[in-house]
Amino acid sequence: MIRFFLRHPTSANLMMAIFMILGMMALPELRRETFVDFLPKRVSVTVAYPGATADEVDESVVQLVEDAISSVRYVREVRSESRDGLGIVTAEMEPDWDSSVFLNDIKTEVEAIDDLPEDAEKPVVRLLGQTKPVVSLAVTGPMEPSVLRAYSRRIRDEIRALPGVSQAQLSGFSDRQYQVMVSLPLLRQHGLTVGDVVRSVGSQNVDLPVGFIESSARKISLRVAERRRSKEALDSMVISEGPDGGRILLGDVADVLDDFEVEEDKILFDGERAAFIVVSKTDTEDSLRVLDEIKGYLKGKTPQLPPGVSISLTDDYTTIVRDRLDMLLKNGFQGFLLVFTTLFLFFNGRYSLWVAMGLPVSFLGALFLFPILGQTLNMVSMVALLMGLGLVMDDAIVISENIAKHLAMGKRPLDAAADGLKEVWTGVLSSFLTTAAVFVPLLTIQGQMGRVFQPIPVVLLSVLAVSLVEAFFILPHHLAHSKDRVGFTDKYREKVNLGMVYVRDRWVMRVVDRAVDNRYWTLGLTVFLLLGSLALVIGGVVKVQAFADMDGDVLEARITMPQGTSLSQTEMAVDFIVEASKSMDLSDMVTHRAVEYGIHRGLDERGSHVATVKVNLIPADKRGFTVDQLVDSWSSAVGQIPGVLSLTFAEPTLGPQGRAIEIRLKGADLGRLKDASIDLRRWLEGIRGVRDLDDDMKPGRPEIVLKPLPGVLAMGLPSGEIARQVRRAFYGEVVDSFQVGAEGFEVNVKLSDKDVEDVRSLMDLPVALPGGADAPLGSLVSLEYERPWSRIHRLNGVKTVTVVGDVNTALGNTADILTYMRQIYLPEFERKYPDLSMTLDGEAGEMGETQASMKRALLLGVLGIFVLLCFQFRSYIEPLVVLLAIPFAFIGVISGALIMNIPLSMPGIMGFVSLAGVVVNNSILLVEFIRMGMEQGLSVVQAAKGASGDRFRAIFLTTMTTVAGMVPLMFERNLQAQVLIPLAVSVVFGLIGATLLVLVVLPSLYAIMDDRGWVRPIEK
C-alpha cells in the first residue's frame, strides 16, 4: 500500500485535495460560539396560583408537582421555588439521555395531577435552554407606551421574518388590560355590589356562536356578538336595568382605564421609555450570521423610521464571540509561522513546506468531521487546533527525519521514503494509540466545565487521525519527489545543525552522562522536585481557581428593596445608581445604560421592589481595565442607599464555573435557615476580597390575615364566600379576554384604588349576606398581622437557602476562602445549627465534579497506555518507566504557573491531562533506541546514555513545534484570552519540563532498573 502511493503519480495529491476540498466546503457551514452548550438539560413546570402566598403555593402546588415527577426516570436533581402567586419546579436530567423523552415523561406525570387548587392555573411544562441570546434592539420614540408597544411588535414581526432569524421576543411591557375601577360610594348609591358588576360585565361581554339555520337551500350561522372591545364601548355597557326602564351604565359606577397589567414591567434605555426586542438563536443557528441579518435589516429600516424614533443595538453577545475567535485565529496564524520557521531551520524550504503541509490537510480534514461529530467553532475547539499545530508535526518530523537519514545513506528517493517509513511506522502508530488512549477517556468528563472542555479530545483525535493518514500516504510521496536545493540557505542550515550538534555533545550529553553515573541522586532530586511541586499547590503558593475571569461587555447592578416597596421609591434608588454610573471614574467606557424595573436578574425575583440597571461597555480589548475595576469604581460612586436591602454587581451571564460563592443551607425550619444564612453572610463579609453577598430568602410583603368570627357561618356566610368577595374587591377578577389584531386584552373588575388604600377601607368593605343585605367586613372577621417569606426553595424536596457572592480575584482566591471557611467556620456552624446541613455549589461544586471525573479519565488513560506498552515492550516494568513522563510534565505545569504568576485553573489541569498522551511518545522512542543500542551489543548504561544523544534532535524538534504553536496564546495580553492562557502555560511548560526530564532522568531510571535486574534481556 505504501509503495503504491509512493509510485502512483496522482494518488497522494488526490487524497490531499479531497481532504482540503471537503474541509473548505464544511467551513462556511460551521456554527460559531464562545463555548459549547454546557448547561444540563432541564425541564420546568410552572403553575400560577394568583393571590396565594409562598407558603400556600409550596404546600398546595409545589409539593404535589414534586411528588408527581419523582417517579420519572433519569432525574438527577429537582429544584423548586414557591413565591407569591407562582410555583416553579425544575427537574435536571442525567447527562446523555433523550431530552424529548424526558420532557414527555414529565408532562405525562404532571397532567395526571388532579388535586391542584381550584384557582390554580393549568401547569406549563417546557424544556429550558433551547435558545441563547444574540443581541437586543432598543426601540425608543416620542409616543405613548401603548403606541410604542404596537410599533415595536411590528418591528419584531419583521425581524422574525428575516431568513436565519427564528427567535425574537418583545419585552418592556406587560399585557394590555382594561381595568374597571369600581367606585364603592357609587355602588352603594345604586344598591349594587362588586359581585353584581362582575357578573353583569362577564355575562354581557360575549361573542359566541349559538347554532345554525339550515334549509335545503342554504345554511346560516347564528352568533351573539355583544363583546365590547374599547374603553368607550365598556363605558356604555348596561349593567342594570329597572322595570321602569331606568338604566345604570358601567361608566356610572366605574372608571375604565386602558393600561398595562403590571405597572413596574417597563424598561428605560438611556433615560427614555423603550421596548426591547431580544433576538436569540437555537442550537442549530450561528450567532454571527443572525447578527449580520439584523444589521442588514437595520441598514434598510433606519431611513424609514418615523421622526424621533430610533432603534439601537444593545446587549450584543456576538461581539465577544467574534473578538475571541479572531484573537485565536491570529494566535493560530502566528503559531503556524513559528512552527514553519522551526522546521525551516533544519530542513530545506521545499522539504519544510511538505512537512508543514500536514497542518492544513489535517485541519481541513478535521473541520469536515466537525458537523458529523456535533462540533462548533468555539474558544475551546480553536485552542485544541492550536495544540494540534505542534502535535500534528510530531509524526511528520519523525518520518521526515528518518527518510532524510536514509537519503543521506545514498539511497534512491523512493527507496529512502519506503525504508524510512517502514522503520518507524510501528512507533508512529503506537504514539497515536497512546495519545488516543488518553483522549478517549476525556470524553467522559462530567460537570459543566467538563462539557466545555469536551471539544479538546474530539478535535485532537480528529486532527491526529487525519494527520496519521497524511503522514503514512501523502507525506512520503512528496518527500520522495522533493529535490534538494543548494545555496545560502543550505549553508545557513548547516550552521544551525552544527550548533545543534554542539549543544547536544557539549551540554546535553555531559548532563546525561553525569545523571546516569549518579542515577540514584538523579532519582532523589526528581522525587524532590515532584514533592516540591505538590507542596506549592497544597501550601497555597500556587493558587487553585476554577476558571479565570472572563470579562464581557455588559455589567448589571441588581437592586432589592423590602417587599411591598412602591415603584416610585424603587425608581428613586435606581436614579441614584444610574447617576453614579455617569459620575464614576470609568464612565467614559459606557456606551448605553438601561433599566429593567420589576426584575432582579440574579435571583429571578419580580415585583415593584426590584430592578436591574445595565451598562453596555466598549469591547474588552479596547477598555484597558477589568470588570472588577469597573465594579469597584461604580460601587464606590454609589455608596450606601437608605432602604436598600441588597445591591450587587455582576455580569449577566456566568461561565461554566458558576458563582464564585454559592453555599446551600438545608433544613426543615425556614426561620433557622434564615438565621444561619445571616450568620454565614456576616462571617464571609469579614473575608478580604468577598463582595456582593446575598441570599435568596427575603421577607415577603406585610400580610393581614382575615379570621371569620364565631357565628358568621350560622349567618350562611362560609369562609370561601368571604374570601371570594374580598378577592374581587382588592385583587379583582378577570371577566373577559380577547384579541384586537395582534394585541391581547383582558377586562379586570375591582374596587378603585382610593377605596382600598388602607385598613379602614378594608374593614368598611360591604360584604353581601344571604337574603340581599350586607354587612361591613369588620363585623365579620378579626385581623392578624404577619409577614411571610417571599420565596421558599427546595432541593430534592428539602427546604434550602442559598448564599451567593463573588470574589475580587485581585484580593482573594475562592478556593482558599472556601477551604478556610470549612476549617474555621464549619465546625462552629455544625455546633450552632445541628439540625441544618451545608453544601457547596457554584464554582466549588462544579470544580469538584469535573476534577473527580478528570482523575478517573487520567487513570483510565494511563491504564490504556500501560496495556499498549506492555504489548509493545513485552514487559510489565519498562512501561512504568515510560509513564513516569507524566509526573515529569506535572513538575513543568506547576513551574509554569509559578513563573507566569497565574493560578492553577481547570483549563490548566485540562492541559496537563491532555499532555499525558503526548509526553509519553518521546519516552517510547527513547526506550526503543535504548533497546536498539542493547541489540548492537552495548551495555544498558552505554545504550541509555547514547539514546538521549541519538533522539535529541527529533525530541527537540517535536517539542519545539508543539511549544511554538502555543506560545502566541501564552503571551496574549488581550483580556479575552485570560481563561485560556493557563491551558497554554500548562502545555508549554509541561512539555518542556517533561522533555528535559525525559532526556536526563529516563536513562538514569533505566540504568537503575538494570541494577535491580528488571531489564528484559535482548532476545537472540
Side-chain angles (χ1 to χ4, degrees):
M1 177 67 77
I2 291 174
R3 285 195 174 272
F4 169 78
F5 275 87
L6 285 172
R7 295 181 183 278
H8 199 284
T10 59
S11 59
N13 289 328
L14 284 173
M15 182 180 287
M16 180 177 72
I18 289 171
F19 279 134
M20 298 182 75
I21 291 171
L22 290 175
M24 287 187 285
M25 290 176 62
L27 193 57
E29 303 302 320
L30 292 178
R31 287 186 291 118
R32 294 161 291 181
E33 54 191 354
T34 299
F35 290 127
V36 297
D37 184 15
F38 54 80
L39 293 175
K41 296 297 182 183
R42 294 188 176 104
V43 171
S44 74
V45 181
T46 305
V47 183
Y49 187 9
T53 65
D55 277 325
E56 291 172 324
V57 172
D58 182 60
E59 293 176 5
S60 305
V61 174
V62 164
Q63 293 185 43
L64 291 176
V65 176
E66 286 182 335
D67 290 341
I69 65 177
S70 61
S71 59
V72 175
R73 297 177 300 165
Y74 318 133
V75 174
R76 183 182 186 184
E77 181 180 89
V78 177
R79 299 186 185 190
S80 67
E81 177 185 343
S82 304
R83 50 173 94 156
D84 290 349
L86 187 67
I88 304 171
V89 179
T90 304
E92 181 180 323
M93 186 182 73
E94 290 282 359
D96 305 323
W97 293 105
D98 190 332
S99 57
S100 60
V101 173
F102 186 65
L103 174 64
N104 289 331
D105 288 350
I106 289 180
K107 276 185 176 179
T108 300
E109 296 297 331
V110 170
E111 288 170 357
I113 301 174
D114 57 5
D115 49 354
L116 286 173
E118 181 181 346
D119 293 334
E121 298 178 6
K122 183 180 178 180
V124 177
V125 183
R126 61 192 180 97
L127 186 63
L128 302 178
Q130 296 299 96
T131 60
K132 296 179 182 177
V134 175
V135 69
S136 295
L137 291 82
V139 184
T140 59
M143 56 186 77
E144 291 296 317
S146 59
V147 179
L148 177 63
R149 182 176 190 254
Y151 181 77
S152 301
R153 287 174 69 97
R154 294 199 297 271
I155 300 294
R156 182 205 61 187
D157 294 341
E158 291 175 4
I159 288 173
R160 283 179 175 174
L162 295 174
V165 181
S166 61
Q167 307 293 321
Q169 302 295 328
L170 182 65
S171 64
F173 307 91
S174 59
D175 291 335
R176 290 280 294 278
Q177 191 177 69
Y178 286 118
Q179 298 180 7
V180 181
M181 311 298 285
V182 182
S183 169
L184 186 57
L186 291 175
L187 284 179
R188 286 173 170 165
Q189 178 182 330
H190 293 286
L192 298 174
T193 66
V194 176
D196 294 332
V197 178
V198 167
R199 284 186 291 273
S200 180
V201 175
S203 61
Q204 292 194 75
N205 209 45
V206 295
D207 186 351
L208 190 68
V210 294
F212 305 94
I213 296 176
E214 189 170 5
S215 66
S216 58
R218 60 180 179 173
K219 187 175 183 179
I220 302 173
S221 299
L222 302 177
R223 174 181 294 274
V224 175
E226 190 62 16
R227 173 164 282 156
R228 312 300 175 99
R229 300 175 185 268
S230 68
K231 176 184 182 304
E232 293 74 15
L234 286 168
D235 275 333
S236 62
M237 176 184 289
V238 177
I239 59 171
S240 180
E241 195 168 23
D244 58 352
R247 291 180 165 188
I248 301 174
L249 304 181
L250 183 61
D252 294 335
V253 296
D255 291 326
V256 179
L257 306 178
D258 180 359
D259 206 346
F260 294 103
E261 181 180 358
V262 182
E263 179 189 16
E264 63 268 14
D265 194 349
K266 66 177 182 178
I267 296 175
L268 300 183
F269 183 75
D270 289 336
E272 296 183 74
R273 182 69 187 262
F276 265 38
I277 302 171
V278 182
V279 180
S280 304
K281 76 175 191 71
T282 64
D283 288 340
T284 60
E285 294 172 338
D286 180 87
S287 57
L288 297 183
R289 295 190 190 102
V290 171
L291 180 67
D292 291 341
E293 288 288 348
I294 298 298
K295 286 183 174 179
Y297 167 79
L298 287 182
K299 185 176 180 180
K301 186 69 176 180
T302 301
Q304 305 172 13
L305 295 176
V309 175
S310 67
I311 304 178
S312 305
L313 288 179
T314 184
D315 298 348
D316 184 358
Y317 295 95
T318 64
T319 302
I320 295 175
V321 177
R322 195 184 301 273
D323 289 348
R324 290 170 179 172
L325 294 183
D326 287 347
M327 173 199 69
L328 291 172
L329 194 62
K330 177 194 72 175
N331 292 148
F333 179 71
Q334 293 171 345
F336 174 78
L337 290 180
L338 289 175
V339 170
F340 182 78
T341 302
T342 304
L343 292 172
F344 189 75
L345 289 174
F346 297 94
F347 301 111
N348 69 64
R350 189 170 178 181
Y351 210 83
S352 300
L353 176 64
W354 287 125
V355 174
M357 275 301 294
L359 289 172
V361 172
S362 302
F363 282 9
L364 288 171
L367 289 174
F368 167 71
L369 297 175
F370 268 34
I372 300 172
L373 300 173
Q375 296 301 308
T376 63
L377 278 180
N378 55 69
M379 291 188 74
V380 178
S381 61
M382 292 281 281
V383 168
L385 291 174
L386 288 181
M387 292 175 64
L389 280 173
L391 299 183
V392 166
M393 291 291 93
D394 286 1
D395 296 341
I397 289 172
V398 170
I399 292 172
S400 58
E401 276 268 294
N402 220 43
I403 291 175
K405 184 182 75 174
H406 283 268
L407 281 171
M409 296 177 184
K411 294 183 179 181
R412 292 186 310 124
L414 288 178
D415 292 335
D419 295 343
L421 179 58
K422 183 179 180 181
E423 197 172 72
V424 297
W425 79 271
T426 55
V428 171
L429 181 60
S430 177
S431 297
F432 171 78
L433 292 176
T434 55
T435 303
V438 170
F439 286 142
V440 169
L442 291 181
L443 296 172
T444 65
I445 292 179
Q446 301 297 313
Q448 293 181 181
M449 284 187 279
R451 284 188 282 275
V452 165
F453 290 123
Q454 277 187 351
I456 289 181
V458 175
V459 171
L460 285 177
L461 283 171
S462 304
V463 170
L464 292 175
V466 177
S467 75
L468 190 68
V469 175
E470 193 275 341
F472 280 170
F473 300 110
I474 299 175
L475 178 62
H477 173 88
H478 289 144
L479 294 183
H481 295 82
S482 176
K483 297 178 181 179
D484 291 332
R485 296 184 179 182
V486 180
F488 171 78
T489 54
D490 284 347
K491 292 179 181 179
Y492 176 75
R493 193 171 294 105
E494 185 177 349
K495 291 181 180 178
V496 172
N497 287 325
L498 288 174
M500 179 67 67
V501 171
Y502 177 83
V503 171
R504 181 193 67 187
D505 294 342
R506 293 295 299 271
W507 296 98
V508 176
M509 292 310 300
R510 285 186 178 183
V511 174
V512 171
D513 288 344
R514 291 185 180 179
V516 175
D517 291 340
N518 301 278
R519 42 190 172 271
Y520 292 97
W521 280 100
T522 302
L523 176 60
L525 181 60
T526 305
V527 172
F528 173 77
L529 289 174
L530 179 59
L531 294 178
S533 299
L534 290 170
L536 290 174
V537 178
I538 297 171
V541 177
V542 174
K543 303 294 185 183
V544 177
Q545 183 179 352
F547 245 60
D549 293 332
M550 292 184 62
D551 288 352
D553 296 336
V554 180
L555 180 62
E556 295 180 347
R558 300 158 178 171
I559 183 173
T560 304
M561 308 284 284
Q563 279 265 2
T565 300
S566 66
L567 177 61
S568 60
Q569 289 178 294
T570 304
E571 286 176 329
M572 292 174 61
V574 166
D575 290 343
F576 192 82
I577 295 170
V578 172
E579 288 304 314
S581 74
K582 297 176 182 178
S583 62
M584 64 182 178
D585 294 337
L586 301 173
S587 60
D588 56 332
M589 298 297 165
V590 176
T591 59
H592 295 292
R593 295 170 178 85
V595 180
E596 288 184 274
Y597 288 100
I599 186 168
H600 185 295
R601 287 292 178 186
L603 300 175
D604 194 26
E605 188 168 350
R606 297 175 184 272
S608 61
H609 65 294
V610 293
T612 299
V613 182
K614 294 196 293 186
V615 294
N616 284 254
L617 310 173
I618 64 175
D621 58 334
K622 299 176 182 177
R623 289 201 294 262
F625 64 89
T626 65
V627 167
D628 280 343
Q629 291 172 302
L630 180 62
V631 168
D632 291 340
S633 177
W634 196 1
S635 60
S636 297
V638 171
Q640 295 293 325
I641 306 177
V644 173
L645 283 182
S646 71
L647 175 63
T648 60
F649 298 87
E651 294 189 71
T653 57
L654 291 172
Q657 76 276 19
R659 295 293 294 265
I661 295 175
E662 188 169 343
I663 304 170
R664 295 191 183 280
L665 307 179
K666 303 177 186 178
D669 189 322
L670 290 175
R672 294 275 290 169
L673 286 170
K674 183 61 179 178
D675 291 342
S677 71
I678 294 173
D679 279 355
L680 177 59
R681 286 175 57 182
R682 285 174 179 168
W683 189 85
L684 288 170
E685 284 170 355
I687 305 298
R688 187 169 182 262
V690 176
R691 70 180 188 205
D692 294 336
L693 288 168
D694 203 353
D695 66 55
D696 58 2
M697 190 174 184
K698 300 286 193 300
R701 286 189 296 267
E703 185 174 82
I704 298 175
V705 180
L706 312 181
K707 297 283 188 178
L709 295 172
V712 171
L713 182 61
M715 299 168 61
L717 196 64
S719 300
E721 179 58 28
I722 295 175
R724 274 189 290 274
Q725 293 194 41
V726 176
R727 181 185 175 91
R728 280 174 179 169
F730 284 80
Y731 189 81
E733 185 170 329
V734 176
V735 296
D736 191 21
S737 60
F738 52 87
Q739 290 287 125
V740 178
E743 195 86 52
F745 285 82
E746 289 182 340
V747 179
N748 185 60
V749 180
K750 60 174 291 189
L751 281 180
S752 65
D753 291 340
K754 63 183 179 182
D755 292 326
V756 292
E757 60 185 1
D758 54 25
V759 176
R760 182 174 180 178
S761 61
L762 171 68
M763 301 300 284
D764 291 341
L765 178 72
V767 176
L769 302 175
D774 63 61
L777 180 65
S779 65
L780 303 174
V781 300
S782 63
L783 306 184
E784 295 181 5
Y785 293 84
E786 295 182 0
R787 187 155 196 175
W789 300 109
S790 64
R791 300 200 293 181
I792 299 172
H793 291 266
R794 291 178 182 270
L795 179 64
N796 295 326
V798 180
K799 292 177 181 176
T800 65
V801 173
T802 304
V803 176
V804 296
D806 291 313
V807 174
N808 185 337
T809 53
L811 302 176
N813 176 266
T814 302
D816 290 348
I817 290 170
L818 294 179
T819 300
Y820 182 67
M821 185 198 74
R822 281 190 289 257
Q823 293 172 348
I824 304 301
Y825 180 76
L826 186 56
E828 176 187 341
F829 172 86
E830 291 174 341
R831 285 193 302 270
K832 191 173 182 179
Y833 302 100
D835 53 328
L836 307 182
S837 63
M838 178 190 295
T839 59
L840 299 181
D841 207 338
E843 182 174 315
E846 284 297 328
M847 190 169 183
E849 182 179 6
T850 302
Q851 274 187 335
S853 58
M854 272 190 180
K855 291 175 183 176
R856 290 193 300 269
L858 180 60
L859 288 175
L860 285 172
V862 170
L863 180 61
I865 294 173
F866 179 76
V867 171
L868 289 171
L869 295 182
C870 285
F871 275 102
Q872 182 177 348
F873 293 148
R874 301 182 181 183
S875 168
Y876 297 113
I877 301 297
E878 291 179 24
L880 296 177
V881 177
V882 173
L883 291 174
L884 286 174
I886 297 174
F888 293 169
F890 182 75
I891 296 173
V893 168
I894 301 303
S895 300
L898 187 64
I899 293 170
M900 299 296 292
N901 192 29
I902 61 173
L904 181 64
S905 62
M906 290 307 299
I909 296 172
M910 185 67 184
F912 163 67
V913 174
S914 301
L915 275 179
V918 179
V919 296
V920 298
N921 293 338
N922 288 333
S923 300
I924 293 171
L925 291 173
L926 201 61
V927 171
E928 287 280 8
F929 270 72
I930 292 174
R931 302 293 298 178
M932 289 170 59
M934 293 168 60
E935 289 174 359
Q936 295 170 8
L938 298 176
S939 66
V940 171
V941 171
Q942 292 172 327
K945 292 179 178 179
S948 289
D950 293 338
R951 293 302 303 158
F952 173 69
R953 174 185 159 106
I955 290 175
F956 176 82
L957 271 176
T958 55
T959 300
M960 285 302 102
T961 52
T962 304
V963 168
M966 300 299 291
V967 160
L969 177 59
M970 187 175 75
F971 289 106
E972 177 65 59
R973 296 278 69 91
N974 191 322
L975 292 175
Q976 303 296 342
Q978 301 309 304
V979 70
L980 297 175
I981 287 177
L983 189 149
V985 169
S986 290
V987 171
V988 169
F989 282 90
L991 193 54
I992 291 175
T995 299
L996 294 175
L997 291 172
V998 161
L999 286 171
V1000 176
V1001 179
L1002 192 143
S1004 303
L1005 294 175
Y1006 210 89
I1008 291 174
M1009 286 174 51
D1010 181 57
D1011 294 343
R1012 300 295 175 181
W1014 294 341
V1015 175
R1016 176 173 54 90
I1018 299 298
E1019 298 178 2
K1020 300 296 183 183

